Amino acid sequence: MHPLRLIATLMLLLAAVPVYAQDLATTCHATSSYDVTLNPDSIVFDRATPAPSRVELKHGSLYTNGASVRLNAENQDRTTLFERDLRALAPRVRAVAQNGVDMAVQAVRAESGGMGLSAETRSELDQRLNAHASELKQRIAASRSTHDWDGDATNQYANQIASDLMPLIAGDLGQQAIDAALSGDLQAAASLRDRAASLTTEMQPRLLRRMQALRPQIQALCPSIQELVDLQQDIRDSNGRPLDLIQTSR
C-alpha cells in the first residue's frame, strides 16, 4: 500500500534527488490505497482494487462505484466534515511543497557552492535551478489530483531535472580535473574525476540532511490528517464494507 498521496506529492520537492515517498509517510504514519481528485463540486477517491474502486463525496452525499449510499445523520455530518477538512488541507500541503522547492534549490546551491565551480557554470546552474523551481511550483499550484504525481510521472520528472543539473556540475568538475592534470597535479585530477563520477551518490545524503529542516512543516499537517482518519471511521459503502480512505499505523 503506497503512502498517502497528498503527502507523496512532497517527494517532488527534492526533484533532482531520488526520494521515496515512504520516507515522508513515516512522519504522519498515514497511508492510502486511493488516488484523490478535488473536483469543483466533489472529491473522488479511486483505485484499481479492492472494491470499492471509486468513492465520491459530494456535499455530504456518498457514492461508491456509482451507487448512492444511505447515511444516517451522524455519518452524513462526518462525510460533510471530511470533505470540508480535506479541501482545507490541500492548500496547506501545496504550501509545504512550495516551501520545499525553495529549500531544495537552496540546498543544491549550498552544496555546489563549495565545489569551486566556474562563474559561468554557477550562473548557468542558477538559471536552470530557477527555471525548474518555477515550473515545479506552477505544477504544484495547478494540481488538483494525485494522479498528476503517480510514480512513473514523478520519477520521469525527477530524472529529467537530475539529467539537466548533474551533468552541468560534473562537466565543470571534469574540466577542473583536466586543468589540474595539465598543471601536473595528478592527485587532484584523480580526486576531481572521482567526485564527478560519483556526484549524485555523494550529494544525495547531504541534500537529504539539509531537507530535514522541512520536517516540522510536514509534522504540522499530521493532526489534520489524523482528524480525517477519525471522521471516516464507521462510514461504509453500500455493501457494508469500510471505506478506509486513509489509514494510520498508530
Side-chain angles (χ1 to χ4, degrees), residues 91-221:
R92 294 175 57 199
V93 172
R94 292 192 193 97
V96 174
Q98 300 274 9
N99 292 339
V101 172
D102 291 333
M103 193 176 293
V105 169
Q106 293 170 6
V108 173
R109 284 186 177 136
E111 286 297 325
S112 61
M115 295 181 181
L117 303 179
S118 69
E120 182 180 358
T121 298
R122 291 197 305 271
S123 176
E124 179 64 23
L125 180 62
D126 269 349
Q127 291 180 23
R128 296 188 188 187
L129 280 171
N130 290 337
H132 286 303
S134 177
E135 179 184 359
L136 185 50
K137 284 186 172 185
Q138 291 174 17
R139 286 167 61 99
I140 292 170
S143 179
R144 294 296 180 272
S145 175
T146 58
H147 283 293
D148 299 337
W149 309 98
D150 281 344
D152 289 343
T154 292
N155 292 336
Q156 183 178 2
Y157 189 67
N159 289 336
Q160 175 188 339
I161 296 177
S163 65
D164 185 40
L165 299 181
M166 294 307 175
L168 179 66
I169 300 174
D172 191 291
L173 292 177
Q175 184 59 52
Q176 292 181 49
I178 293 174
D179 294 342
L182 291 176
S183 68
D185 192 344
L186 300 183
Q187 183 176 356
S191 176
L192 286 164
R193 283 195 298 269
D194 290 343
R195 288 179 65 191
S198 60
L199 181 62
T200 301
T201 303
E202 289 184 355
M203 283 188 69
Q204 177 179 334
R206 295 198 298 269
L207 289 172
L208 286 174
R209 284 194 294 272
R210 290 182 182 274
M211 293 304 299
Q212 289 302 307
L214 189 67
R215 188 168 294 275
Q217 296 184 41
I218 300 173
Q219 290 174 328
L221 302 173

Side-chain angles (χ1 to χ4, degrees), residues 42-119:
S42 67
I43 296 178
V44 174
F45 289 82
D46 68 278
R47 63 185 177 185
T49 57
S53 58
R54 179 183 172 88
V55 176
E56 183 177 12
L57 309 175
K58 190 172 183 179
H59 307 302
S61 297
L62 174 65
Y63 304 86
T64 58
N65 292 342
S68 177
V69 179
R70 179 175 296 179
L71 300 173
N72 59 33
E74 179 183 353
N75 284 344
Q76 186 173 32
D77 287 343
R78 284 174 174 265
T79 301
T80 300
L81 290 174
F82 184 97
E83 182 178 0
R84 182 202 67 184
D85 291 354
L86 181 54
R87 287 190 183 278
L89 177 62
R92 294 175 57 199
V93 172
R94 292 192 193 97
V96 174
Q98 300 274 9
N99 292 339
V101 172
D102 291 333
M103 193 176 293
V105 169
Q106 293 170 6
V108 173
R109 284 186 177 136
E111 286 297 325
S112 61
M115 295 181 181
L117 303 179
S118 69

